[in-house]
Amino acid sequence: MIIILKPDVTPESPEYQVLMKYLSQFEGVRTHIAEYQGITRKVVEIHLIGDTRKVPVEVIQSLPGVEKAIRISAKYRQIGRHGDLEPIGFDYKGLHFDQNSFHVFVGLCAVDTKENTEAIFKALKENGIRTARMGAYKPRTSPYDFQGHGKECLPWLFELAGKYDIAVIAMEVLAPHHIEEIWEALEKTGHPTGVMLQIGTRNAQNFELLKAVGNQQEFPVLYKRGMGLTIEESLNACEYIASEGNHNIIFCLRGVRTHLGEPHRNLVDFGHVPVIKRLTKLPVCVDPSHPIGSRVKAPDGIRDIYHVAAQGVIAGANMVLVEFHPVPEKALCDGPQALYLEELPCFMEYINQAREAYLNMKDIVARHTMQMMAPKP
Ligand code: PEP
Ligand code: MN
């Protein structure tokens, strides 16, 4: 069961004490407090864990300080949508993330030289973008391939980000100690930017890593669906993160592994955008670079990466994560799929147009639904 408190009720309020006293009579029922900070208000939820069958919803609902009590049968206790409450999302570094927001994270698959990194940040600033992707720790198939510069590059990377007013960098972590390394580098450089910790598809069920990113509240988490996992398995992985205390999670679709996706690298799964939005409160990201794997173009002159990015956005995605490089031929990782930096204005105009189309399409459906529901004369 989830109990949502009225907006002005906090754990210090007398109404809260009354509620907790009432709940304490039910043996085997534990409580977990979850707080969500939205733009206009903070939501405090009390999650009842254990055998809650004897806890009467109607009585709880009638207690002072309670806005709503919902009995949940769903398995996604923390990340799931319960009832008709609109998810409030979260704020980070002055940006808001929820199921209505829209951000494009652009950048290098793997950080290589300072020159290339600065070229990316400069182009982002010129295009009014404050969200980047930058890989410092790379999970590679072969141990002989470039593994990323790791913590060595973090101080100059963060300073450069600050110079170009980048608010958030999405950065994959492969092990719990990488979170500390990122924190230390941010401390050392005076927090010129923010970091969103990325869980890569290869670590989608690395439960100790999931617990580690869940066990801290500083950084939000970008969770990438396991390329061989069902939606249910990947959502349970997000539930691991949330149940440790961090609810600031974005769910990223990045394609799934099957030969049926050939000649693309993976099979695009962006049809699941509405599924994740329906089942959970999480904002949804799409990564068009990794499932496609190359810069090929269709006969209409549009790259496959653009086509599928637009498909994800039209399906209602809240974020796009895409790889660019100033000189893709020289990239140390995923060069074949990196878009040319010169085409950033084109990509942004294209993707913003897709977002506009989505918003207009949403209005069309809402208008027709209203008309269909209106009483007939
Ligand atoms: C990445 O985004 O840098 C990456 C490695 O992606 P994935 O985990 O989806 O393969
Ligand atoms: Mn990559």
Side-chain angles (χ1 to χ4, degrees), residues 106-126 129 131-136 146 149-150 152-166 169-171 193 324-327 330-332 341 344:
V106 173
L108 298 169
C109 172
V111 174
D112 43 36
T113 66
K114 282 187 191 173
E115 291 69 31
N116 288 336
T117 308
E118 182 153 15
I120 294 270
F121 287 149
K122 190 164 175 287
L124 291 187
K125 188 163 173 69
E126 282 162 8
I129 306 167
T131 44
R133 59 152 292 140
M134 289 284 158
F146 176 60
H149 287 313
E152 307 309 325
C153 71
L154 298 183
W156 62 256
L157 176 68
F158 293 156
E159 270 161 6
L160 275 179
K163 179 174 167 191
Y164 292 96
D165 199 25
I166 302 298
I169 298 175
M171 178 177 286
T193 189
F324 274 76
H325 197 287
V327 202
K330 292 203 174 148
L332 298 175
L341 203 46
L344 182 60

Side-chain angles (χ1 to χ4, degrees), residues 328-374:
E329 298 73 18
K330 292 203 174 148
L332 298 175
C333 184
D334 284 348
Q337 70 197 29
L339 301 178
Y340 292 102
L341 203 46
E342 303 91 77
E343 62 184 283
L344 182 60
C346 172
F347 183 79
M348 289 309 294
E349 191 175 336
Y350 178 90
I351 222 65
N352 286 330
Q353 191 72 51
R355 174 69 180 173
E356 278 299 307
Y358 163 72
L359 294 174
N360 289 336
M361 285 148 66
K362 212 172 112 174
D363 285 347
I364 291 170
V365 173
R367 182 162 43 80
H368 282 273
T369 306
M370 289 270 283
Q371 280 167 7
M372 285 186 283
M373 278 164 47

Side-chain angles (χ1 to χ4, degrees), residues 180-329:
E180 279 148 47
E181 291 175 6
I182 290 172
W183 176 253
E184 279 162 20
L186 285 170
E187 281 281 279
K188 195 170 143 192
T189 52
H191 295 267
T193 189
V195 173
M196 184 177 282
L197 302 175
Q198 189 174 315
I199 297 292
T201 194
R202 291 161 189 81
N203 277 309
Q205 273 188 325
N206 179 340
F207 298 113
E208 292 310 312
L209 184 60
L210 295 171
K211 285 190 220 166
V213 296
N215 201 0
Q216 54 83 42
Q217 312 272 325
E218 176 63 31
F219 306 111
V221 179
L222 179 63
Y223 173 88
K224 296 188 98 176
R225 176 191 189 167
M227 63 172 116
L229 298 187
T230 61
I231 284 293
E232 186 177 337
E233 287 163 333
S234 282
L235 290 181
N236 272 310
C238 290
E239 195 68 20
Y240 262 92
I241 302 171
S243 62
E244 289 291 319
N246 189 353
H247 297 98
N248 299 348
I249 307 167
I250 296 175
F251 189 94
C252 181
L253 294 163
R254 48 81 66 214
V256 289
R257 174 170 283 186
T258 152
H259 71 279
L260 299 175
E262 287 165 14
H264 291 155
R265 196 173 168 187
N266 290 120
L267 184 68
V268 177
D269 55 351
F270 299 167
H272 280 154
V273 171
V275 176
I276 307 300
K277 288 174 101 172
R278 182 167 57 246
L279 291 178
T280 78
K281 302 183 239 192
L282 309 181
V284 183
C285 173
V286 291
D287 171 349
S289 303
H290 289 90
I292 300 302
S294 81
R295 284 184 296 276
V296 285
K297 284 182 181 174
D300 57 15
I302 302 173
R303 297 192 197 283
D304 291 18
I305 289 180
Y306 283 53
H307 271 294
V308 297
Q311 286 163 19
V313 174
I314 287 284
N318 307 108
M319 172 170 159
V320 178
L321 181 75
V322 59
E323 294 184 346
F324 274 76
H325 197 287
V327 202
E329 298 73 18

